[in-house]
Amino acid sequence: MMHPEYILTLSCPDQRGIVHNVSGFLAGHGCNIIDSAQFGDAQSALFFMRVHFALEDAAISDAVLRADFASMGESMQMDWQLHDARHKPRMVLMVSKIGHCLNDLLFRFKSGLLPVEIKAIISNHTDFYQLAASYNIPFHHLPLAVGASAEAKRVQEQKVLDIIESNQVELVVLARYMQILSPEMCTALTGRAINIHHSFLPSFKGAKPYYQAHERGVKLIGATAHFVTGDLDEGPIIEQDVERVDHAMGPETLTAIGRDVECVVLARAVKCFVEHRILLNAHKTVVFK
């Protein structure tokens, strides 16, 4: 018999007895813990926890489990969520004209390495409509002209939000979507939008950052995946990585290496989100491995 599995994530003021109370609650409700991780942050005085467990007592319903935990959670001032561990989150991918991250995520999805439902691909260009069709994923071309007015941008972003809401999307991934989202759009997607960028920001802003890096003779290149906020490229960081480079490598080689790193970093961040391993800690994140 396959028992229902859940992932519990929580944060609360650090205090004695949190792990004892949570594990005792689960044991008392016929649950078996599969794995667990916790972290106490001395700076914020908050405690973070992620527990993957199976509900083995058929007499305990989902509603009872949630209602009873809510009572305990309130007594300990917990901010908590209880997820169905077998649910595949609904995701939308947004892209412009550079497709390496899009292609990588689609391959991982098709290979079963990324347990999600990709409901749509949204782009301000038409470059990847055939790629979307090859995966049988709806493609939405929502153009935005260079220098478009604020009103035109609002109209375009509302169309994006309509697609997101109509598909009950849980995660939006900016897979090299080269448009700055409005503050209103960022607010609407708080906690459910992930972006990828090269780690040269803010040192190498603007066009061709890898060419700028080559001119400066950098020895490390990398990428950063983070949550989207109204502060451009300054949202809570989820995942990062770097790769060593040297003087013999031209800007094209640096670009190729950088794009490989971007793919890996973004895929890791998305997988962490899907597996409910990311908890927000003010402007930072706790990411349980």
Side-chain angles (χ1 to χ4, degrees):
M1 178 180 178
M2 183 176 290
H3 300 292
E5 292 185 14
Y6 293 87
I7 296 174
L8 169 68
T9 57
L10 65 89
S11 62
C12 64
D14 204 351
Q15 57 200 287
R16 287 190 297 272
I18 302 172
V19 175
H20 171 79
N21 288 347
V22 171
S23 58
F25 172 90
L26 294 176
H29 284 72
C31 301
N32 180 44
I33 294 176
I34 298 171
D35 62 77
S36 178
Q38 56 272 335
F39 169 69
D41 182 11
Q43 186 175 13
S44 66
L46 292 175
F47 185 85
F48 302 85
M49 191 172 186
R50 176 187 184 274
V51 186
H52 178 195
F53 66 90
L55 175 57
E56 297 180 347
D57 187 346
I60 302 293
S61 68
D62 179 271
V64 167
L65 186 69
R66 293 176 185 274
D68 289 356
F69 192 86
S71 178
M72 186 187 75
E74 184 177 2
S75 70
M76 303 191 76
Q77 300 179 341
M78 289 181 180
D79 180 8
W80 62 277
Q81 290 182 303
L82 188 59
H83 310 273
D84 178 351
R86 295 192 176 98
H87 169 69
K88 294 182 178 181
R90 296 175 293 276
M91 185 168 78
V92 157
L93 300 173
M94 298 183 68
V95 65
S96 290
K97 294 177 71 69
I98 301 174
H100 56 285
C101 288
L102 172 69
N103 198 47
D104 180 76
L105 290 172
L106 289 174
F107 173 79
R108 292 172 191 268
F109 156 71
K110 190 69 172 180
S111 302
L113 300 174
L114 198 58
V116 295
E117 290 184 32
I118 301 180
K119 307 301 290 186
I121 295 171
I122 299 173
S123 181
N124 54 327
H125 298 280
T126 58
D127 297 57
F128 300 112
Y129 78 93
Q130 288 180 317
L131 179 63
S134 72
Y135 283 92
N136 199 29
I137 296 172
F139 182 86
H140 300 270
H141 176 220
L142 302 179
L144 194 62
V146 176
S149 66
E151 177 58 30
K153 189 175 183 66
R154 277 194 294 271
V155 170
Q156 192 256 13
E157 289 189 340
Q158 186 56 56
K159 291 177 181 177
V160 174
L161 287 174
D162 289 344
I163 294 168
I164 291 169
E165 297 309 317
S166 65
N167 287 284
Q168 298 180 301
V169 168
E170 296 154 271
L171 175 62
V172 176
V173 179
L174 306 186
R176 295 303 301 269
Y177 181 68
M178 308 305 289
Q179 290 289 329
I180 297 174
L181 303 185
S182 69
E184 295 78 15
M185 185 74 161
C186 292
T187 299
L189 298 178
T190 297
R192 56 175 179 150
I194 294 175
N195 189 25
I196 183 72
H197 67 70
H198 48 82
S199 287
F200 298 122
L201 291 174
S203 298
F204 300 106
K205 292 183 177 180
K208 296 188 174 181
Y210 294 106
Y211 282 72
Q212 296 179 55
H214 179 259
E215 288 295 318
R216 293 288 298 275
V218 301
K219 300 298 184 280
L220 284 173
I221 61 175
T224 298
H226 62 90
F227 281 116
V228 173
T229 67
D231 297 319
L232 182 62
D233 292 328
E234 294 185 13
I237 293 171
I238 302 168
E239 181 62 63
Q240 294 179 296
D241 208 346
V242 295
E243 193 74 34
R244 292 203 67 85
V245 295
D246 61 41
H247 62 276
M249 298 177 180
E252 295 85 0
T253 301
L254 265 60
T255 300
I257 294 172
R259 289 181 176 179
D260 284 346
V261 179
E262 290 171 15
C263 289
V264 171
V265 168
L266 183 58
R268 287 178 188 162
V270 171
K271 193 168 189 290
C272 284
F273 184 97
V274 168
E275 295 178 352
H276 310 291
R277 297 184 181 276
I278 309 166
L279 284 78
L280 284 172
N281 182 14
H283 298 299
K284 302 185 292 183
T285 60
V286 173
V287 183
F288 290 118
K289 300 301 184 182

